[in-house]
Amino acid sequence: HRRRHSFPTRRSSDLLSPELLPAIVSVSLARGARHLAAAGVLVRRLDAIEDLGSIDVLCTDKTGTLTVGEMSLDAAVDAAGEPSREVLQLAHLNAALETGIENPMDRAIVEAGRAAGLSTDGWRKVDEIPYDFVRRRLTIVVAPAAGGGEHLLVTKGAVAAVIDRCALQPDQRARLEAAAQALGERGVRVLALATRRVPPQPRNTVDDEVALAFAGFLCFADAVKPDAAAAVQALARRGVRVAMITGDNRHVAAQVARQVGLDPTALITGTEVSALRDESLWQRAPHLAVYAEVDPAQKERIVRALQRTGHAVGYLGDGINDAPALHAADVGLSVDRAVDVARESADIVLLQPDLAVLERGIAEGRRTFANTLKYIQITTSANFGNMVSMALATPLLPFLPLTATQILLNNFLSDLPSMAISADHADAEVLERPQHWDLAEVRRYMIVFGLVSSVFDLLTFGLLLTVFHAAPEVFRSGWFVVSLLTELAVVLVLRTRGPMWASRPAPLLLWTTVGVAVAAVLLPASGAIGGLFGFVPLPAALQAALAAIVVGYVVATEATKRWFWRTRARPPGRG
């Protein structure tokens, strides 16, 4: 289900085929991967670099990405909201003896318990009912180490999931829910704790998680990253909308969203997502900023809903519950410290969970895609123009315009600067918005600029035949020089959408182009070397005339480029 930039390729015999496309793509992606690695971003799937540049929605978990991710137990309080050592002791037993999925909240509980001088001495573990994303609870069954007596169930989990299993009067339930909401609105992540004494039995199941006695709340602090809001804004400037997808309580999620610059009112819960039909979710998903209290299946469903409405989606997550969404996203992103299944499901791994690094990665992906697209557009238009010129000229000439050897040499020399396109700069406006493959635009580009090239080819033919009455060797030498110089010049003109003099090309591209241009001019006059390819020296008057044609071609292409991008920017329906 990954979104791929599928560049069309043809048989090598096809005149319009961009000959170096595989090499250009490989070099561009390898260079992009090297730059990202230097910034702390590891690319596991190479073509994900370009996919990263195409995303316009980034779905991200809260913990460790928008928040610091250093969870600490802020307080253990009873039902009345008072600090309680007994609640901390029960939570410590639950966290220290559980053997399921390792998580930062259990680590924080254990550390707080040890700091308070607590241990599991005097208790032995009897059974465990592991956490799952449907129940959203974890139960540990313990018994006195000395033996005998009843067993004690200690259940910890999401507030609603635990309260639902407690024996409470309506007013008691309402009071506890209000207390949890108040804590959540302060940005505190809250878990609930409950217990039940049961007779000894060989095994315990979820059916035993009933008629629990509510014990208290566990309050966790995880500060918002100082630069999270700036990173969200930077992504927005790149045309990437951030959506938070978390299993946390809606009130906590809303508070974090408010602090990082997301709209806390554009929020939906997992329960509401489950109640929506696919068509309704498709309509609502593009307008939502926060998804709270969601399970793994719902995360995947949200990603697919965004894709269904035409968005390219990146998903950043580090937990086992993120794996389905990571696999479904156009670009799956994880962090180096993530669980194995999350890292293996991801296309790109961040050495640090930093949205600022990710923003630079998106820019690098767009630059890589832009340079690849430059090569495709420039090469297809040049090949199309040459094809039209050859098709028109060959029936009218008593000799071949170029020999096979001269055509191969022309292709070889013109391709050398193209290899340097991968190192070129990209226009700022290209980096500001997602880039997508548009075959119709490439076709229009090819025809417009290819025909401009053909017009000047025909002018060259007319000049050589009617003004200078060139012999076959002189004709081929003259057209070879003009053809090669125009192909080199057009790279510098078309590499940017703005004026060519206002955008400096990369040094490697510039000097490679200049070097090949000098070789093209000197080759016909080089004596034995030029003679080897069938070239002859050109008269000074002819050289001056051919230089004028090259200058005219550059001016015409620059003017056509301005017209092309100006008309493309107009709203549909306007002339």
Side-chain angles (χ1 to χ4, degrees):
H1 301 291
R2 304 285 196 205
R3 182 184 299 263
R4 302 284 198 262
H5 286 298
S6 301
F7 298 111
T9 56
R10 306 187 181 199
R11 296 186 304 273
S12 58
S13 60
D14 193 323
L15 288 174
L16 297 181
S17 174
E19 300 91 346
L20 289 181
L21 180 58
I24 293 293
V25 172
S26 298
V27 170
S28 296
L29 293 178
R31 185 175 184 275
R34 188 173 67 252
H35 284 185
L36 290 178
V41 181
L42 302 183
V43 181
R44 299 184 67 249
R45 176 171 64 85
L46 202 57
D47 56 349
I49 295 173
E50 289 178 340
D51 292 341
L52 182 61
S54 75
I55 67 171
D56 54 16
V57 176
L58 174 65
C59 298
T60 177
D61 193 9
K62 174 182 70 66
T63 305
T65 305
L66 300 176
T67 65
V68 175
E70 297 177 359
M71 196 76 67
S72 62
L73 184 63
D74 190 55
V77 299
D78 59 22
E82 297 297 326
S84 170
R85 185 177 179 85
E86 180 184 358
V87 171
L88 179 59
Q89 172 68 64
L90 291 170
H92 184 262
L93 280 175
N94 180 284
L97 297 178
E98 72 99 2
T99 57
I101 303 169
E102 185 179 357
N103 63 86
M105 285 183 292
D106 280 342
R107 288 196 297 270
I109 293 170
V110 172
E111 290 173 5
R114 289 173 179 169
L118 301 176
S119 72
T120 59
D121 294 344
W123 296 93
R124 60 183 178 86
K125 180 179 176 180
V126 175
D127 204 354
E128 177 174 351
I129 307 173
Y131 180 90
D132 65 63
F133 297 106
V134 177
R135 289 169 41 251
R136 303 179 70 194
R137 296 185 300 272
L138 165 70
T139 295
I140 297 295
V141 184
V142 295
E150 293 181 312
H151 291 176
L152 177 66
L153 273 71
V154 183
T155 300
K156 173 180 95 272
V159 173
V162 172
I163 287 179
D164 282 344
R165 292 288 175 162
C166 291
L168 296 170
Q169 296 298 322
D171 60 327
Q172 294 175 310
R173 181 185 179 107
R175 188 166 57 252
L176 292 175
E177 290 176 343
Q181 178 176 340
L183 290 169
E185 289 173 349
R186 287 168 38 201
V188 176
R189 186 169 182 179
V190 184
L191 296 182
L193 195 72
T195 63
R196 180 190 174 197
R197 294 194 175 275
V198 295
Q201 54 193 48
R203 296 289 298 171
N204 293 97
T205 68
V206 294
D207 294 333
D208 295 312
E209 296 176 329
V210 294
L212 301 177
F214 186 84
F217 295 116
L218 304 173
C219 306
F220 298 87
D222 184 15
V224 172
K225 287 185 175 180
D227 60 350
V232 170
Q233 292 174 2
L235 288 168
R237 289 193 294 270
R238 295 280 187 195
V240 179
R241 183 173 65 85
V242 174
M244 182 200 306
I245 301 183
T246 178
D248 285 356
N249 178 279
R250 71 195 75 181
H251 307 296
V252 177
Q255 177 63 16
V256 172
R258 188 176 293 107
Q259 294 180 60
V260 301
L262 300 179
D263 183 2
T265 63
L267 181 149
I268 192 172
T269 65
T271 302
E272 293 170 318
V273 169
S274 297
L276 290 176
R277 296 183 53 168
D278 286 342
E279 293 81 1
S280 298
L281 185 58
W282 298 343
Q283 291 182 355
R284 294 193 60 184
H287 309 290
L288 295 169
V290 183
Y291 301 83
E293 303 172 15
V294 295
D295 61 37
Q298 290 168 342
K299 291 183 178 183
E300 179 184 6
R301 189 180 172 209
I302 291 164
V303 169
R304 296 197 183 279
L306 289 165
Q307 292 171 326
R308 181 64 174 75
T309 54
H311 293 282
V313 183
Y315 186 91
L316 175 58
D318 60 0
I320 189 172
N321 56 332
D322 294 311
L326 285 167
H327 182 74
D330 298 303
V331 183
L333 304 118
S334 192
V335 295
D336 186 48
R337 65 185 185 189
V339 299
D340 291 345
V341 68
R343 284 200 308 273
E344 292 302 315
S345 300
D347 305 306
I348 293 176
V349 176
L350 309 181
L351 295 184
Q352 294 294 331
D354 189 347
L355 289 183
V357 172
L358 183 56
E359 186 262 339
R360 293 195 293 272
I362 289 173
E364 182 66 29
R366 292 177 183 176
R367 188 200 63 78
T368 300
F369 180 69
N371 285 339
T372 304
L373 193 58
K374 283 181 195 178
Y375 172 75
I376 293 174
Q377 291 174 325
I378 293 171
T379 304
T380 53
S381 60
N383 288 356
F384 178 74
N386 288 339
M387 183 189 71
V388 172
S389 301
M390 294 285 283
L392 294 174
T394 301
L396 303 177
L397 294 174
F399 53 84
L400 290 175
L402 289 176
T403 66
T405 302
Q406 291 167 345
I407 292 174
L408 291 174
L409 179 62
N410 185 297
N411 286 344
F412 172 73
L413 292 176
S414 64
D415 281 343
L416 290 178
S418 297
M419 292 294 293
I421 288 179
S422 64
D424 195 22
H425 310 300
D427 294 337
E429 64 183 82
V430 173
L431 302 180
E432 288 174 356
R433 62 182 185 274
Q435 301 294 306
H436 303 288
W437 175 249
D438 187 344
L439 183 60
E441 181 178 288
V442 172
R443 185 185 300 114
R444 179 171 174 250
Y445 193 103
M446 174 189 73
I447 293 173
V448 169
F449 292 100
L451 291 179
V452 172
S453 174
S454 294
V455 168
F456 281 85
D457 284 342
L458 295 176
L459 286 176
T460 304
F461 296 160
L463 178 73
L464 290 168
L465 293 175
T466 63
V467 177
F468 290 93
H469 307 288
E473 292 78 9
V474 175
F475 183 97
R476 290 168 182 152
S477 300
W479 192 41
F480 176 87
V481 172
V482 170
S483 175
L484 187 51
L485 288 180
T486 53
E487 286 193 53
L488 295 172
V490 80
V491 172
L492 299 181
V493 175
L494 296 181
R495 54 166 292 276
T496 175
R497 298 184 181 186
M500 64 174 293
W501 56 85
S503 176
R504 184 175 60 184
L508 181 61
L509 175 60
L510 176 62
W511 293 115
T512 305
T513 302
V514 171
V516 174
V518 171
V521 173
L522 297 178
L523 191 59
S526 61
I529 297 177
L532 184 65
F533 293 98
F535 297 129
V536 297
L538 300 174
L542 178 55
Q543 292 185 42
L546 295 179
I549 288 179
V550 173
V551 172
Y553 174 67
V554 170
V555 173
T557 303
E558 179 69 32
T560 304
K561 177 182 69 177
R562 293 191 184 187
W563 167 83
F564 182 90
W565 293 117
R566 186 170 62 250
T567 56
R568 180 183 180 274
R570 290 177 183 170
R574 297 194 178 181

